[in-house]
Amino acid sequence: MFETFALQIPVIGVSTERFIVLLLAAFAGGMFGAALGALPSFIFTGFVVLLGETAGIIIRQFEGADLITAGELGTGITSSIGFGPFVGPHIAFAGGVAASAYAGKRYADMDPSEGGYHFGKDITYAFGTQPDILAVGGLFGVLGLLISRVAGGIGLPLDSVALSVMTTAFIARIAFGYPLIGSPAGSGLLDMSPFEKGETRGDGSGRPATEPWLPHQYKWVNIVVIGLGAGILGGWTWLITESFFLAYGISAASLLFLNLGVEKIPVTHHITLGGSSFAAIAAPMVGGNEPLIIVAAAVGGLIGALLGELTQRIAYSHSGTHVDPPAMSITIYSLLIGVLFLLGAIPNSAYLGLGP
């Protein structure tokens, strides 16, 4: 009976046996994210994506290579591992984020910082083998898999992985008793001046009154500069390799240095992905004119960067857990791409793969 029921659900798209395996793998992947920490698990996403995209590119360079086989190899590593149950951001990273949110309430004494951000936002913390925390990570890994699968199955025209990362983070806030958005300490949600003035919450915690996602990456002029630069690099990478995710993988892997404590490392995977996407959309519109393609990539990177900063000011800075600004940014601009493609306003949907 279970098999019949499962196979009748169109959004699953796999056999009952494979679905059960995916659920088990997603639970383990969420535990993996909790054990290592959300950010370290995402860094592995970057390395695996680099491996997958590079494998496909290299094989395609050999004369007489089976292009279908090469594409399947690269896509398989990227999608099944990099964006699958092992280190997929919607599973491992989401599990790590939820684990931190849970630990921030249940194990506040674990907090290694004094006067820093709320422990629920510490996505670098590795929870090792703490059973209940790993179980939380596992459950949110399963939830992340289901949200992504359902979103893809019903045909939402957006990045279902990014949507899942964003959604599970909000669910974790509700589940563990945090404010969904929080109350701003300044003149509004976008006001970062309380942080700049060194104001604290006044509750004895020593926490900043406003907690920008990246203290080195929140001023608008800085966002514009990194958005344009990283967007161009994303577009250039697509122009040379036709890979949407190679620059994304480089950006994600670069966060290893941020995790190791190197100051002022920028977070750019939502920016380089925007650059590669806008480059691919622009290419047929400008007749393959490379300078114009790169200009479009710069615009895509800028949009990704600005959306990341806008969403962090609204959804990250005023509550006590991590809601990922890059995931929110990618969700928004991928939806824009998807809708514009379905309306016939742009010639392709970039990496979303919509249409015939």
Side-chain angles (χ1 to χ4, degrees):
M1 179 177 179
F2 174 74
E3 182 173 2
T4 301
F5 175 71
L7 292 176
Q8 288 177 344
I9 303 175
V11 297
I12 291 179
V14 294
S15 68
T16 302
E17 289 184 0
R18 175 52 62 90
F19 181 60
I20 293 173
V21 169
L22 282 173
L23 291 178
L24 292 172
F27 187 85
M31 292 176 63
F32 179 79
L36 268 68
L39 182 58
S41 75
F42 181 67
I43 292 166
F44 275 104
T45 302
F47 286 124
V48 174
V49 169
L50 279 175
L51 174 63
E53 296 303 289
T54 302
I57 292 166
I58 291 175
I59 294 175
R60 286 195 297 269
Q61 301 306 309
F62 287 99
E63 184 177 357
D66 185 338
L67 298 186
I68 295 178
T69 302
E72 288 177 348
L73 174 62
T75 301
I77 295 173
T78 298
S79 63
S80 299
I81 308 298
F83 294 118
F86 200 155
V87 293
H90 58 311
I91 295 172
F93 180 81
V97 167
S100 292
Y102 169 75
K105 289 286 189 178
R106 180 70 175 81
Y107 297 107
D109 57 331
M110 283 187 181
D111 188 357
S113 64
E114 294 183 7
Y117 286 15
H118 194 283
F119 186 39
K121 285 182 172 175
D122 190 348
I123 60 171
T124 67
Y125 197 94
F127 291 102
T129 57
Q130 184 77 22
D132 57 332
I133 299 179
L134 266 59
V136 168
L139 290 173
F140 273 82
V142 170
L143 181 60
L145 171 73
L146 293 175
I147 291 173
S148 178
R149 283 269 171 172
V150 170
I154 64 178
L156 292 183
L158 46 63
D159 187 320
S160 62
V161 168
L163 174 68
S164 182
V165 172
M166 177 184 73
T167 304
T168 53
F170 280 119
I171 292 173
R173 279 190 177 174
I174 296 171
F176 302 125
Y178 294 88
L180 189 62
I181 296 296
S183 301
S187 60
L189 291 173
L190 304 184
D191 184 9
M192 297 291 104
S193 64
F195 174 79
E196 295 170 345
K197 297 174 183 176
E199 297 177 6
T200 61
R201 293 180 177 264
D203 58 3
S205 67
R207 285 177 58 196
T210 302
E211 299 171 335
W213 167 48
L214 296 169
H216 60 278
Q217 186 178 324
Y218 75 91
K219 295 182 178 179
W220 291 112
V221 64
N222 302 38
I223 295 299
V224 169
V225 170
I226 195 64
L228 293 172
I232 288 172
L233 292 176
W236 165 255
T237 304
W238 177 85
L239 188 63
I240 298 302
T241 67
E242 296 188 355
S243 167
F244 288 107
F245 292 107
L246 185 60
Y248 174 99
I250 294 172
S251 292
S254 74
L255 298 180
L256 172 63
F257 300 101
L258 182 65
N259 196 76
L260 292 174
V262 179
E263 294 184 1
K264 300 182 179 179
I265 296 293
V267 179
T268 60
H269 54 283
H270 56 305
I271 303 173
T272 49
L273 183 59
S276 64
S277 298
F278 275 57
I281 293 167
M285 299 175 70
V286 300
N289 184 296
E290 292 187 352
L292 292 180
I293 291 172
I294 294 301
V295 169
V299 172
L302 179 60
I303 290 173
L306 291 174
L307 285 174
E309 180 56 29
L310 178 65
T311 54
Q312 82 84 9
R313 292 183 180 224
I314 295 172
Y316 177 95
S317 294
H318 313 291
S319 190
T321 70
H322 183 90
V323 176
D324 197 54
M328 292 186 282
S329 173
I330 294 170
T331 299
I332 295 169
Y333 70 66
S334 67
L335 177 61
L336 174 65
I337 291 171
V339 170
L340 288 176
F341 172 74
L342 294 177
L343 292 175
I346 55 177
N348 62 68
S349 61
Y351 72 96
L352 297 180
L354 304 176

